[in-house]
Amino acid sequence: MDVRRTLLFVFFCLLGLTPGTAQPLSCYFEHYSIEDGLPQYTIMDILQDRKGFMWFATWDGISKFDGHTFYNYKVQSGDTYHMNSNRIESFAEDKYGNIWLRSYDGAAHCFNPQTATFKGLQSIPGYTDYPAQIAKIEVKNSGKVWLLFEKNGCICITDSLFSAQSYNLSEGRLKGDTVYSIFEDTDKNSWILTNNGLYFVKNGQFETTPFFFENNLSRGNQSFHSAIEWKDEIWFGASQGRIWRYKKATGKFDLLETAAA
């Protein structure tokens, strides 16, 4: 049996079929609607948590499905926690089992499935009136949750106690006002990719070490948009088609120029 016939045989075995008796695979579909318990027809995001439950982000709160029953949650009038909108755009589960939500009005909220309660920035002293809209929520393996704002840097929720650290221009931790993404390396260090430079936050610490920023933006700033770790290096994609290769052993960067502009 040659290689091609062997691969074909394995393919059919994986399908649970044999080449001579191949039959179309049958699929089972079940349709669920508000008659079955969903709070609303419009589903914006779907999540399966670490326990196997399915979660649905809807235009009327969130819903958990255990395979038989939908359990619906939203902030009601008179609750101690306030939300301007129960329209949920997206969500993600953190290391501690909390569900982080971005609502239609650009606010960030956190739902605790154990207590069935909501909280958010307004629950943290000093952040009750934080003036910004969330562009993105990024949940990391370390347990950190990063709230990226459209024009005011970002905030890191550092632990299960909801401790927070802010990173923006006014506090001097960043030289740019827009954070595009957060990259967490295998050592759980954080890299903040902005429209004016790259910023390193060592695991267990909070201050930033800046790279490739400009104090005088008239000379042209360098923005960073992507990162990938490969063995003992981290490659960062920057503007003007530049790739900066960071060597973890030496802490040095090498520039790789590409034809992209």
Side-chain angles (χ1 to χ4, degrees):
M1 185 178 291
D2 61 25
V3 174
R4 286 182 298 175
R5 291 182 62 190
T6 301
L7 291 175
L8 186 62
F9 176 76
V10 171
F11 174 75
F12 279 109
C13 288
L14 290 174
L15 291 179
L17 305 171
T18 60
T21 60
Q23 297 292 329
L25 292 175
S26 59
C27 298
Y28 178 74
F29 294 91
E30 183 73 32
H31 179 262
Y32 295 99
S33 68
I34 57 174
E35 286 79 12
D36 301 293
L38 274 170
Q40 218 272 343
Y41 278 115
T42 305
I43 307 296
M44 300 299 296
D45 200 2
I46 299 174
L47 165 73
Q48 184 173 27
D49 68 20
R50 63 190 63 218
K51 295 181 179 179
F53 296 118
M54 300 299 299
W55 292 83
F56 301 91
T58 83
W59 277 13
D60 192 25
I62 60 176
S63 183
K64 181 180 79 171
F65 184 57
D66 64 3
H68 304 282
T69 306
F70 289 94
Y71 300 90
N72 302 321
Y73 308 96
K74 66 179 180 178
V75 173
Q76 306 282 353
S77 177
D79 287 353
T80 55
Y81 184 78
H82 175 70
M83 288 173 60
N84 290 326
S85 174
N86 275 303
R87 284 189 179 188
I88 308 303
E89 295 278 295
S90 60
F91 51 15
E93 183 187 19
D94 70 15
K95 175 182 177 180
Y96 310 105
N98 298 312
I99 308 294
W100 286 84
L101 322 167
R102 183 185 182 276
S103 55
Y104 181 77
D105 59 344
H109 312 279
C110 180
F111 179 75
N112 185 335
Q114 299 298 319
T115 61
T117 56
F118 292 87
K119 60 183 176 182
L121 285 181
Q122 59 185 271
S123 308
I124 306 174
Y127 293 88
T128 54
D129 299 312
Y130 202 82
Q133 281 194 322
I134 296 291
K136 186 164 48 171
I137 300 174
E138 295 193 7
V139 176
K140 303 302 179 181
N141 291 333
S142 63
K144 295 175 182 175
V145 177
W146 293 82
L147 310 178
L148 280 56
F149 298 101
E150 293 180 353
K151 286 291 181 181
N152 196 26
C154 60
I155 289 177
C156 179
I157 309 300
T158 61
D159 53 37
S160 61
L161 300 178
F162 226 60
S163 305
Q165 293 286 326
S166 54
Y167 297 86
N168 52 48
L169 270 169
S170 61
E171 294 185 355
R173 287 178 165 177
L174 301 180
K175 301 294 184 180
D177 58 359
T178 301
V179 175
Y180 294 119
S181 183
I182 307 294
F183 178 75
E184 185 174 274
D185 63 29
T186 53
D187 298 315
K188 295 185 172 56
N189 302 311
S190 300
W191 298 82
I192 306 176
L193 285 63
T194 81
N195 63 335
N196 184 21
L198 175 68
Y199 302 82
F200 172 77
V201 183
K202 187 175 178 59
N203 183 31
Q205 301 180 16
F206 304 120
E207 296 307 314
T208 59
T209 301
F211 300 97
F212 311 112
F213 68 92
E214 289 288 348
N215 283 319
N216 184 357
L217 295 184
S218 64
R219 294 183 299 187
N221 55 303
Q222 190 166 184
S223 59
F224 287 79
H225 297 269
S226 60
I228 186 170
E229 188 167 3
W230 173 251
K231 295 183 178 179
D232 61 344
E233 294 185 346
I234 305 176
W235 291 31
F236 295 96
S239 52
Q240 289 93 45
R242 295 171 176 170
I243 296 176
W244 288 98
R245 298 167 56 188
Y246 175 76
K247 297 183 182 298
K248 297 172 67 175
T250 63
K252 303 295 183 181
F253 287 89
D254 291 329
L255 176 61
L256 175 63
E257 294 277 11
T258 70

PDB file of all heavy atoms in Angstrom, residues 6-41:
ATOM      1  N   THR A   6      -2.439   4.813   1.801  1.00  0.00           N
ATOM      2  CA  THR A   6      -2.439   4.711   3.261  1.00  0.00           C
ATOM      3  C   THR A   6      -3.142   5.914   3.882  1.00  0.00           C
ATOM      4  O   THR A   6      -3.974   5.781   4.776  1.00  0.00           O
ATOM      5  CB  THR A   6      -1.004   4.629   3.797  1.00  0.00           C
ATOM      6  OG1 THR A   6      -0.370   3.491   3.227  1.00  0.00           O
ATOM      7  CG2 THR A   6      -0.994   4.525   5.313  1.00  0.00           C
ATOM      8  N   LEU A   7      -2.808   7.120   3.401  1.00  0.00           N
ATOM      9  CA  LEU A   7      -3.436   8.338   3.922  1.00  0.00           C
ATOM     10  C   LEU A   7      -4.931   8.333   3.666  1.00  0.00           C
ATOM     11  O   LEU A   7      -5.727   8.747   4.500  1.00  0.00           O
ATOM     12  CB  LEU A   7      -2.790   9.571   3.294  1.00  0.00           C
ATOM     13  CG  LEU A   7      -1.344   9.847   3.715  1.00  0.00           C
ATOM     14  CD1 LEU A   7      -0.783  11.022   2.914  1.00  0.00           C
ATOM     15  CD2 LEU A   7      -1.262  10.132   5.212  1.00  0.00           C
ATOM     16  N   LEU A   8      -5.335   7.848   2.472  1.00  0.00           N
ATOM     17  CA  LEU A   8      -6.751   7.790   2.152  1.00  0.00           C
ATOM     18  C   LEU A   8      -7.471   6.816   3.070  1.00  0.00           C
ATOM     19  O   LEU A   8      -8.574   7.085   3.552  1.00  0.00           O
ATOM     20  CB  LEU A   8      -6.929   7.378   0.686  1.00  0.00           C
ATOM     21  CG  LEU A   8      -8.360   7.409   0.149  1.00  0.00           C
ATOM     22  CD1 LEU A   8      -8.922   8.824   0.209  1.00  0.00           C
ATOM     23  CD2 LEU A   8      -8.406   6.877  -1.277  1.00  0.00           C
ATOM     24  N   PHE A   9      -6.851   5.677   3.351  1.00  0.00           N
ATOM     25  CA  PHE A   9      -7.453   4.692   4.248  1.00  0.00           C
ATOM     26  C   PHE A   9      -7.615   5.271   5.653  1.00  0.00           C
ATOM     27  O   PHE A   9      -8.662   5.118   6.286  1.00  0.00           O
ATOM     28  CB  PHE A   9      -6.571   3.440   4.288  1.00  0.00           C
ATOM     29  CG  PHE A   9      -7.062   2.398   5.253  1.00  0.00           C
ATOM     30  CD1 PHE A   9      -8.158   1.597   4.940  1.00  0.00           C
ATOM     31  CD2 PHE A   9      -6.432   2.211   6.476  1.00  0.00           C
ATOM     32  CE1 PHE A   9      -8.609   0.644   5.828  1.00  0.00           C
ATOM     33  CE2 PHE A   9      -6.879   1.254   7.371  1.00  0.00           C
ATOM     34  CZ  PHE A   9      -7.969   0.475   7.049  1.00  0.00           C
ATOM     35  N   VAL A  10      -6.575   5.974   6.153  1.00  0.00           N
ATOM     36  CA  VAL A  10      -6.659   6.590   7.482  1.00  0.00           C
ATOM     37  C   VAL A  10      -7.764   7.638   7.517  1.00  0.00           C
ATOM     38  O   VAL A  10      -8.512   7.743   8.480  1.00  0.00           O
ATOM     39  CB  VAL A  10      -5.296   7.208   7.875  1.00  0.00           C
ATOM     40  CG1 VAL A  10      -5.415   8.045   9.148  1.00  0.00           C
ATOM     41  CG2 VAL A  10      -4.252   6.121   8.051  1.00  0.00           C
ATOM     42  N   PHE A  11      -7.881   8.407   6.419  1.00  0.00           N
ATOM     43  CA  PHE A  11      -8.921   9.424   6.347  1.00  0.00           C
ATOM     44  C   PHE A  11     -10.304   8.823   6.497  1.00  0.00           C
ATOM     45  O   PHE A  11     -11.135   9.296   7.267  1.00  0.00           O
ATOM     46  CB  PHE A  11      -8.799  10.173   5.016  1.00  0.00           C
ATOM     47  CG  PHE A  11      -9.900  11.159   4.773  1.00  0.00           C
ATOM     48  CD1 PHE A  11      -9.933  12.374   5.458  1.00  0.00           C
ATOM     49  CD2 PHE A  11     -10.914  10.884   3.867  1.00  0.00           C
ATOM     50  CE1 PHE A  11     -10.943  13.278   5.241  1.00  0.00           C
ATOM     51  CE2 PHE A  11     -11.936  11.789   3.645  1.00  0.00           C
ATOM     52  CZ  PHE A  11     -11.952  12.989   4.331  1.00  0.00           C
ATOM     53  N   PHE A  12     -10.574   7.741   5.789  1.00  0.00           N
ATOM     54  CA  PHE A  12     -11.884   7.095   5.882  1.00  0.00           C
ATOM     55  C   PHE A  12     -12.098   6.473   7.259  1.00  0.00           C
ATOM     56  O   PHE A  12     -13.208   6.471   7.785  1.00  0.00           O
ATOM     57  CB  PHE A  12     -12.031   6.028   4.783  1.00  0.00           C
ATOM     58  CG  PHE A  12     -12.418   6.600   3.458  1.00  0.00           C
ATOM     59  CD1 PHE A  12     -11.520   6.637   2.397  1.00  0.00           C
ATOM     60  CD2 PHE A  12     -13.693   7.105   3.273  1.00  0.00           C
ATOM     61  CE1 PHE A  12     -11.891   7.157   1.177  1.00  0.00           C
ATOM     62  CE2 PHE A  12     -14.072   7.620   2.047  1.00  0.00           C
ATOM     63  CZ  PHE A  12     -13.166   7.661   0.999  1.00  0.00           C
ATOM     64  N   CYS A  13     -11.026   5.959   7.872  1.00  0.00           N
ATOM     65  CA  CYS A  13     -11.164   5.405   9.218  1.00  0.00           C
ATOM     66  C   CYS A  13     -11.524   6.476  10.219  1.00  0.00           C
ATOM     67  O   CYS A  13     -12.347   6.270  11.114  1.00  0.00           O
ATOM     68  CB  CYS A  13      -9.855   4.716   9.642  1.00  0.00           C
ATOM     69  SG  CYS A  13      -9.542   3.160   8.799  1.00  0.00           S
ATOM     70  N   LEU A  14     -10.925   7.667  10.062  1.00  0.00           N
ATOM     71  CA  LEU A  14     -11.246   8.769  10.960  1.00  0.00           C
ATOM     72  C   LEU A  14     -12.702   9.194  10.816  1.00  0.00           C
ATOM     73  O   LEU A  14     -13.335   9.660  11.759  1.00  0.00           O
ATOM     74  CB  LEU A  14     -10.323   9.960  10.687  1.00  0.00           C
ATOM     75  CG  LEU A  14      -8.853   9.785  11.103  1.00  0.00           C
ATOM     76  CD1 LEU A  14      -8.028  10.973  10.634  1.00  0.00           C
ATOM     77  CD2 LEU A  14      -8.739   9.617  12.611  1.00  0.00           C
ATOM     78  N   LEU A  15     -13.231   9.052   9.635  1.00  0.00           N
ATOM     79  CA  LEU A  15     -14.633   9.374   9.401  1.00  0.00           C
ATOM     80  C   LEU A  15     -15.571   8.265   9.869  1.00  0.00           C
ATOM     81  O   LEU A  15     -16.783   8.424   9.871  1.00  0.00           O
ATOM     82  CB  LEU A  15     -14.881   9.631   7.917  1.00  0.00           C
ATOM     83  CG  LEU A  15     -14.262  10.911   7.328  1.00  0.00           C
ATOM     84  CD1 LEU A  15     -14.582  10.989   5.841  1.00  0.00           C
ATOM     85  CD2 LEU A  15     -14.806  12.138   8.037  1.00  0.00           C
ATOM     86  N   GLY A  16     -15.009   7.133  10.266  1.00  0.00           N
ATOM     87  CA  GLY A  16     -15.841   6.017  10.674  1.00  0.00           C
ATOM     88  C   GLY A  16     -16.449   5.291   9.496  1.00  0.00           C
ATOM     89  O   GLY A  16     -17.495   4.646   9.614  1.00  0.00           O
ATOM     90  N   LEU A  17     -15.787   5.411   8.336  1.00  0.00           N
ATOM     91  CA  LEU A  17     -16.310   4.819   7.117  1.00  0.00           C
ATOM     92  C   LEU A  17     -15.253   3.911   6.501  1.00  0.00           C
ATOM     93  O   LEU A  17     -14.088   3.938   6.875  1.00  0.00           O
ATOM     94  CB  LEU A  17     -16.660   5.914   6.098  1.00  0.00           C
ATOM     95  CG  LEU A  17     -17.615   7.014   6.576  1.00  0.00           C
ATOM     96  CD1 LEU A  17     -17.664   8.116   5.521  1.00  0.00           C
ATOM     97  CD2 LEU A  17     -19.008   6.441   6.798  1.00  0.00           C
ATOM     98  N   THR A  18     -15.638   3.138   5.535  1.00  0.00           N
ATOM     99  CA  THR A  18     -14.684   2.400   4.706  1.00  0.00           C
ATOM    100  C   THR A  18     -14.871   2.865   3.279  1.00  0.00           C
ATOM    101  O   THR A  18     -15.971   3.272   2.880  1.00  0.00           O
ATOM    102  CB  THR A  18     -14.941   0.881   4.792  1.00  0.00           C
ATOM    103  OG1 THR A  18     -16.263   0.602   4.332  1.00  0.00           O
ATOM    104  CG2 THR A  18     -14.761   0.390   6.226  1.00  0.00           C
ATOM    105  N   PRO A  19     -13.808   2.815   2.446  1.00  0.00           N
ATOM    106  CA  PRO A  19     -13.908   3.329   1.079  1.00  0.00           C
ATOM    107  C   PRO A  19     -15.032   2.708   0.279  1.00  0.00           C
ATOM    108  O   PRO A  19     -15.612   3.355  -0.583  1.00  0.00           O
ATOM    109  CB  PRO A  19     -12.541   3.000   0.485  1.00  0.00           C
ATOM    110  CG  PRO A  19     -11.615   2.948   1.665  1.00  0.00           C
ATOM    111  CD  PRO A  19     -12.441   2.383   2.782  1.00  0.00           C
ATOM    112  N   GLY A  20     -15.357   1.448   0.544  1.00  0.00           N
ATOM    113  CA  GLY A  20     -16.374   0.795  -0.266  1.00  0.00           C
ATOM    114  C   GLY A  20     -17.794   1.032   0.203  1.00  0.00           C
ATOM    115  O   GLY A  20     -18.740   0.762  -0.525  1.00  0.00           O
ATOM    116  N   THR A  21     -17.953   1.537   1.424  1.00  0.00           N
ATOM    117  CA  THR A  21     -19.310   1.696   1.964  1.00  0.00           C
ATOM    118  C   THR A  21     -19.530   3.109   2.485  1.00  0.00           C
ATOM    119  O   THR A  21     -20.232   3.320   3.459  1.00  0.00           O
ATOM    120  CB  THR A  21     -19.542   0.701   3.113  1.00  0.00           C
ATOM    121  OG1 THR A  21     -18.582   0.967   4.161  1.00  0.00           O
ATOM    122  CG2 THR A  21     -19.390  -0.723   2.639  1.00  0.00           C
ATOM    123  N   ALA A  22     -18.896   4.098   1.856  1.00  0.00           N
ATOM    124  CA  ALA A  22     -19.014   5.477   2.314  1.00  0.00           C
ATOM    125  C   ALA A  22     -20.459   5.953   2.221  1.00  0.00           C
ATOM    126  O   ALA A  22     -21.129   5.764   1.215  1.00  0.00           O
ATOM    127  CB  ALA A  22     -18.113   6.372   1.472  1.00  0.00           C
ATOM    128  N   GLN A  23     -20.930   6.554   3.313  1.00  0.00           N
ATOM    129  CA  GLN A  23     -22.267   7.116   3.361  1.00  0.00           C
ATOM    130  C   GLN A  23     -22.181   8.545   3.875  1.00  0.00           C
ATOM    131  O   GLN A  23     -21.271   8.895   4.631  1.00  0.00           O
ATOM    132  CB  GLN A  23     -23.156   6.286   4.305  1.00  0.00           C
ATOM    133  CG  GLN A  23     -23.371   4.850   3.866  1.00  0.00           C
ATOM    134  CD  GLN A  23     -24.195   4.756   2.613  1.00  0.00           C
ATOM    135  OE1 GLN A  23     -25.063   5.590   2.367  1.00  0.00           O
ATOM    136  NE2 GLN A  23     -23.919   3.752   1.789  1.00  0.00           N
ATOM    137  N   PRO A  24     -23.101   9.411   3.493  1.00  0.00           N
ATOM    138  CA  PRO A  24     -23.083  10.788   4.001  1.00  0.00           C
ATOM    139  C   PRO A  24     -23.215  10.793   5.530  1.00  0.00           C
ATOM    140  O   PRO A  24     -23.958   9.997   6.109  1.00  0.00           O
ATOM    141  CB  PRO A  24     -24.313  11.418   3.342  1.00  0.00           C
ATOM    142  CG  PRO A  24     -24.596  10.559   2.150  1.00  0.00           C
ATOM    143  CD  PRO A  24     -24.184   9.176   2.541  1.00  0.00           C
ATOM    144  N   LEU A  25     -22.449  11.663   6.169  1.00  0.00           N
ATOM    145  CA  LEU A  25     -22.537  11.792   7.616  1.00  0.00           C
ATOM    146  C   LEU A  25     -23.864  12.443   8.003  1.00  0.00           C
ATOM    147  O   LEU A  25     -24.280  13.410   7.393  1.00  0.00           O
ATOM    148  CB  LEU A  25     -21.372  12.641   8.146  1.00  0.00           C
ATOM    149  CG  LEU A  25     -19.981  12.027   8.042  1.00  0.00           C
ATOM    150  CD1 LEU A  25     -18.943  13.045   8.500  1.00  0.00           C
ATOM    151  CD2 LEU A  25     -19.888  10.782   8.906  1.00  0.00           C
ATOM    152  N   SER A  26     -24.500  11.908   9.014  1.00  0.00           N
ATOM    153  CA  SER A  26     -25.747  12.503   9.485  1.00  0.00           C
ATOM    154  C   SER A  26     -25.437  13.478  10.598  1.00  0.00           C
ATOM    155  O   SER A  26     -24.589  13.227  11.452  1.00  0.00           O
ATOM    156  CB  SER A  26     -26.698  11.415   9.992  1.00  0.00           C
ATOM    157  OG  SER A  26     -26.100  10.696  11.049  1.00  0.00           O
ATOM    158  N   CYS A  27     -26.078  14.622  10.588  1.00  0.00           N
ATOM    159  CA  CYS A  27     -25.896  15.662  11.601  1.00  0.00           C
ATOM    160  C   CYS A  27     -27.220  15.923  12.300  1.00  0.00           C
ATOM    161  O   CYS A  27     -28.286  15.849  11.681  1.00  0.00           O
ATOM    162  CB  CYS A  27     -25.386  16.951  10.966  1.00  0.00           C
ATOM    163  SG  CYS A  27     -23.776  16.798  10.168  1.00  0.00           S
ATOM    164  N   TYR A  28     -27.122  16.210  13.581  1.00  0.00           N
ATOM    165  CA  TYR A  28     -28.322  16.472  14.368  1.00  0.00           C
ATOM    166  C   TYR A  28     -28.341  17.940  14.756  1.00  0.00           C
ATOM    167  O   TYR A  28     -27.379  18.458  15.311  1.00  0.00           O
ATOM    168  CB  TYR A  28     -28.332  15.604  15.621  1.00  0.00           C
ATOM    169  CG  TYR A  28     -29.517  15.847  16.529  1.00  0.00           C
ATOM    170  CD1 TYR A  28     -30.784  15.378  16.194  1.00  0.00           C
ATOM    171  CD2 TYR A  28     -29.351  16.553  17.714  1.00  0.00           C
ATOM    172  CE1 TYR A  28     -31.860  15.620  17.015  1.00  0.00           C
ATOM    173  CE2 TYR A  28     -30.429  16.787  18.547  1.00  0.00           C
ATOM    174  CZ  TYR A  28     -31.687  16.316  18.198  1.00  0.00           C
ATOM    175  OH  TYR A  28     -32.753  16.565  19.020  1.00  0.00           O
ATOM    176  N   PHE A  29     -29.423  18.617  14.432  1.00  0.00           N
ATOM    177  CA  PHE A  29     -29.570  20.030  14.746  1.00  0.00           C
ATOM    178  C   PHE A  29     -30.746  20.214  15.704  1.00  0.00           C
ATOM    179  O   PHE A  29     -31.786  19.569  15.559  1.00  0.00           O
ATOM    180  CB  PHE A  29     -29.833  20.860  13.488  1.00  0.00           C
ATOM    181  CG  PHE A  29     -28.673  20.892  12.532  1.00  0.00           C
ATOM    182  CD1 PHE A  29     -28.564  19.947  11.521  1.00  0.00           C
ATOM    183  CD2 PHE A  29     -27.696  21.861  12.645  1.00  0.00           C
ATOM    184  CE1 PHE A  29     -27.500  19.973  10.644  1.00  0.00           C
ATOM    185  CE2 PHE A  29     -26.628  21.892  11.772  1.00  0.00           C
ATOM    186  CZ  PHE A  29     -26.528  20.951  10.765  1.00  0.00           C
ATOM    187  N   GLU A  30     -30.538  21.104  16.668  1.00  0.00           N
ATOM    188  CA  GLU A  30     -31.615  21.467  17.600  1.00  0.00           C
ATOM    189  C   GLU A  30     -31.732  22.983  17.597  1.00  0.00           C
ATOM    190  O   GLU A  30     -30.731  23.704  17.773  1.00  0.00           O
ATOM    191  CB  GLU A  30     -31.298  20.973  19.007  1.00  0.00           C
ATOM    192  CG  GLU A  30     -32.392  21.231  20.028  1.00  0.00           C
ATOM    193  CD  GLU A  30     -33.597  20.321  19.846  1.00  0.00           C
ATOM    194  OE1 GLU A  30     -33.389  19.171  19.402  1.00  0.00           O
ATOM    195  OE2 GLU A  30     -34.727  20.777  20.142  1.00  0.00           O
ATOM    196  N   HIS A  31     -32.924  23.467  17.365  1.00  0.00           N
ATOM    197  CA  HIS A  31     -33.139  24.912  17.317  1.00  0.00           C
ATOM    198  C   HIS A  31     -33.717  25.389  18.644  1.00  0.00           C
ATOM    199  O   HIS A  31     -34.693  24.841  19.152  1.00  0.00           O
ATOM    200  CB  HIS A  31     -34.113  25.269  16.182  1.00  0.00           C
ATOM    201  CG  HIS A  31     -34.398  26.726  16.091  1.00  0.00           C
ATOM    202  ND1 HIS A  31     -35.525  27.311  16.628  1.00  0.00           N
ATOM    203  CD2 HIS A  31     -33.685  27.739  15.534  1.00  0.00           C
ATOM    204  CE1 HIS A  31     -35.505  28.608  16.400  1.00  0.00           C
ATOM    205  NE2 HIS A  31     -34.406  28.890  15.740  1.00  0.00           N
ATOM    206  N   TYR A  32     -33.080  26.427  19.229  1.00  0.00           N
ATOM    207  CA  TYR A  32     -33.552  26.998  20.485  1.00  0.00           C
ATOM    208  C   TYR A  32     -33.962  28.449  20.261  1.00  0.00           C
ATOM    209  O   TYR A  32     -33.320  29.176  19.506  1.00  0.00           O
ATOM    210  CB  TYR A  32     -32.455  26.945  21.564  1.00  0.00           C
ATOM    211  CG  TYR A  32     -32.062  25.547  21.966  1.00  0.00           C
ATOM    212  CD1 TYR A  32     -30.927  24.947  21.433  1.00  0.00           C
ATOM    213  CD2 TYR A  32     -32.827  24.822  22.869  1.00  0.00           C
ATOM    214  CE1 TYR A  32     -30.558  23.666  21.791  1.00  0.00           C
ATOM    215  CE2 TYR A  32     -32.462  23.539  23.241  1.00  0.00           C
ATOM    216  CZ  TYR A  32     -31.329  22.960  22.701  1.00  0.00           C
ATOM    217  OH  TYR A  32     -30.969  21.686  23.056  1.00  0.00           O
ATOM    218  N   SER A  33     -35.002  28.851  20.934  1.00  0.00           N
ATOM    219  CA  SER A  33     -35.511  30.216  20.790  1.00  0.00           C
ATOM    220  C   SER A  33     -35.982  30.716  22.153  1.00  0.00           C
ATOM    221  O   SER A  33     -35.752  30.064  23.186  1.00  0.00           O
ATOM    222  CB  SER A  33     -36.662  30.244  19.789  1.00  0.00           C
ATOM    223  OG  SER A  33     -37.788  29.550  20.310  1.00  0.00           O
ATOM    224  N   ILE A  34     -36.642  31.859  22.172  1.00  0.00           N
ATOM    225  CA  ILE A  34     -37.137  32.406  23.440  1.00  0.00           C
ATOM    226  C   ILE A  34     -38.199  31.489  24.048  1.00  0.00           C
ATOM    227  O   ILE A  34     -38.396  31.493  25.268  1.00  0.00           O
ATOM    228  CB  ILE A  34     -37.691  33.829  23.261  1.00  0.00           C
ATOM    229  CG1 ILE A  34     -38.807  33.868  22.216  1.00  0.00           C
ATOM    230  CG2 ILE A  34     -36.576  34.791  22.867  1.00  0.00           C
ATOM    231  CD1 ILE A  34     -39.482  35.227  22.109  1.00  0.00           C
ATOM    232  N   GLU A  35     -38.867  30.679  23.225  1.00  0.00           N
ATOM    233  CA  GLU A  35     -39.843  29.724  23.760  1.00  0.00           C
ATOM    234  C   GLU A  35     -39.168  28.643  24.605  1.00  0.00           C
ATOM    235  O   GLU A  35     -39.792  28.045  25.490  1.00  0.00           O
ATOM    236  CB  GLU A  35     -40.637  29.065  22.622  1.00  0.00           C
ATOM    237  CG  GLU A  35     -41.672  29.960  21.959  1.00  0.00           C
ATOM    238  CD  GLU A  35     -41.060  30.932  20.966  1.00  0.00           C
ATOM    239  OE1 GLU A  35     -39.854  30.751  20.628  1.00  0.00           O
ATOM    240  OE2 GLU A  35     -41.756  31.864  20.532  1.00  0.00           O
ATOM    241  N   ASP A  36     -37.875  28.415  24.362  1.00  0.00           N
ATOM    242  CA  ASP A  36     -37.123  27.417  25.131  1.00  0.00           C
ATOM    243  C   ASP A  36     -36.415  28.018  26.338  1.00  0.00           C
ATOM    244  O   ASP A  36     -35.818  27.284  27.127  1.00  0.00           O
ATOM    245  CB  ASP A  36     -36.093  26.734  24.230  1.00  0.00           C
ATOM    246  CG  ASP A  36     -36.730  26.045  23.042  1.00  0.00           C
ATOM    247  OD1 ASP A  36     -37.446  25.050  23.265  1.00  0.00           O
ATOM    248  OD2 ASP A  36     -36.522  26.511  21.916  1.00  0.00           O
ATOM    249  N   GLY A  37     -36.459  29.350  26.449  1.00  0.00           N
ATOM    250  CA  GLY A  37     -35.859  29.986  27.616  1.00  0.00           C
ATOM    251  C   GLY A  37     -34.813  31.034  27.320  1.00  0.00           C
ATOM    252  O   GLY A  37     -34.360  31.724  28.242  1.00  0.00           O
ATOM    253  N   LEU A  38     -34.367  31.170  26.059  1.00  0.00           N
ATOM    254  CA  LEU A  38     -33.430  32.237  25.731  1.00  0.00           C
ATOM    255  C   LEU A  38     -34.080  33.593  26.006  1.00  0.00           C
ATOM    256  O   LEU A  38     -35.278  33.775  25.729  1.00  0.00           O
ATOM    257  CB  LEU A  38     -33.015  32.158  24.257  1.00  0.00           C
ATOM    258  CG  LEU A  38     -31.853  31.234  23.912  1.00  0.00           C
ATOM    259  CD1 LEU A  38     -31.735  31.097  22.397  1.00  0.00           C
ATOM    260  CD2 LEU A  38     -30.548  31.753  24.494  1.00  0.00           C
ATOM    261  N   PRO A  39     -33.335  34.563  26.504  1.00  0.00           N
ATOM    262  CA  PRO A  39     -33.956  35.847  26.853  1.00  0.00           C
ATOM    263  C   PRO A  39     -34.245  36.727  25.638  1.00  0.00           C
ATOM    264  O   PRO A  39     -35.066  37.640  25.728  1.00  0.00           O
ATOM    265  CB  PRO A  39     -32.916  36.508  27.760  1.00  0.00           C
ATOM    266  CG  PRO A  39     -31.613  35.927  27.317  1.00  0.00           C
ATOM    267  CD  PRO A  39     -31.919  34.511  26.926  1.00  0.00           C
ATOM    268  N   GLN A  40     -33.571  36.458  24.510  1.00  0.00           N
ATOM    269  CA  GLN A  40     -33.706  37.330  23.349  1.00  0.00           C
ATOM    270  C   GLN A  40     -33.236  36.584  22.108  1.00  0.00           C
ATOM    271  O   GLN A  40     -32.428  35.666  22.185  1.00  0.00           O
ATOM    272  CB  GLN A  40     -32.862  38.598  23.582  1.00  0.00           C
ATOM    273  CG  GLN A  40     -33.471  39.890  23.086  1.00  0.00           C
ATOM    274  CD  GLN A  40     -33.112  40.157  21.630  1.00  0.00           C
ATOM    275  OE1 GLN A  40     -32.178  39.561  21.111  1.00  0.00           O
ATOM    276  NE2 GLN A  40     -33.844  41.043  20.993  1.00  0.00           N
ATOM    277  N   TYR A  41     -33.753  36.961  20.952  1.00  0.00           N
ATOM    278  CA  TYR A  41     -33.408  36.269  19.717  1.00  0.00           C
ATOM    279  C   TYR A  41     -31.989  36.581  19.226  1.00  0.00           C
ATOM    280  O   TYR A  41     -31.343  35.738  18.603  1.00  0.00           O
ATOM    281  CB  TYR A  41     -34.390  36.659  18.607  1.00  0.00           C
ATOM    282  CG  TYR A  41     -35.693  35.886  18.647  1.00  0.00           C
ATOM    283  CD1 TYR A  41     -36.903  36.528  18.912  1.00  0.00           C
ATOM    284  CD2 TYR A  41     -35.707  34.512  18.401  1.00  0.00           C
ATOM    285  CE1 TYR A  41     -38.097  35.821  18.937  1.00  0.00           C
ATOM    286  CE2 TYR A  41     -36.896  33.796  18.419  1.00  0.00           C
ATOM    287  CZ  TYR A  41     -38.089  34.465  18.685  1.00  0.00           C
ATOM    288  OH  TYR A  41     -39.264  33.752  18.715  1.00  0.00           O
TER     289      TYR A  41
END
